[in-house]
Amino acid sequence: MADYKNPSLTTDIFIYDENFNFILIKRKNEPFKDYWALPGGFVEYGESVETAAIREAKEETSIDVELQNLVNVYSSPDRDPRRHTVTVAYTAKGDLTAGKADSDAKDIGIFKADELDEINIAFDHSKIIKDCLQKAKK
């Protein structure tokens, strides 16, 4: 029987407030250790992508979120150096003041769009963040 390789399914969540401030986590682990990233992670077997997004947001930021919009699906085979992953990105509202780094997040930060060029951002999250800001401002 052939050994098939399939991409892993992940989700990324852009948590923002009414002033378009948003949360990023500082990664505790490789790849991209100490880089800033959107909260997110792998979808578990038997779990919907929406449920995974809400769970991952809570696990990494301690914030309860309400998903707002599906932004896009990002599937470039080289977006994650560990293996081929496909992510489904959402915008979400949540209380940013309730944020606290947890799970595999080393730290948590609140940012504005004009700060993106000043920080190291993991994976393809710069593009995802820009797409999310466009979607959130509509």
Side-chain angles (χ1 to χ4, degrees):
M1 185 160 196
D3 184 27
Y4 292 102
K5 287 186 177 182
N6 295 311
S8 296
L9 184 60
T10 65
T11 185
D12 290 303
I13 310 93
F14 179 82
I15 307 168
Y16 70 103
D17 66 15
E18 64 280 348
N19 297 315
F20 301 103
N21 298 307
F22 55 90
I23 293 272
L24 295 178
I25 60 152
K26 186 174 270 192
R27 290 183 52 81
K28 190 187 293 184
N29 304 308
E30 294 292 350
F32 297 105
K33 182 179 179 181
D34 293 325
Y35 278 58
W36 292 99
L38 290 164
F42 292 93
V43 177
E44 295 175 359
Y45 188 80
E47 182 178 47
S48 73
V49 177
E50 296 83 1
T51 301
I54 293 166
R55 175 184 53 78
E56 284 288 346
K58 180 74 169 180
E59 284 178 6
E60 294 188 352
T61 69
S62 304
I63 298 174
D64 291 309
V65 299
E66 181 181 326
L67 298 182
Q68 299 293 301
N69 292 296
L70 170 65
V71 176
N72 206 344
V73 175
Y74 300 85
S75 62
S76 176
D78 62 356
R79 63 177 304 277
D80 186 327
R82 296 171 290 190
R83 61 182 173 268
H84 184 181
T85 62
V86 174
T87 197
V88 180
Y90 291 94
T91 59
K93 290 283 183 92
D95 180 3
L96 302 190
T97 63
K100 178 175 71 74
D102 208 352
S103 183
D104 60 353
K106 182 180 198 175
D107 197 3
I108 193 168
I110 298 175
F111 296 91
K112 288 191 162 295
D114 61 2
E115 297 174 287
L116 288 176
D117 293 336
E118 301 166 20
I119 59 174
N120 291 323
I121 300 179
F123 307 104
D124 55 354
H125 288 193
S126 289
K127 167 142 182 50
I128 296 172
I129 291 166
K130 288 173 185 168
D131 291 351
C132 288
L133 280 165
Q134 266 191 322
K135 188 79 156 188
K137 290 181 177 180
K138 284 187 178 179

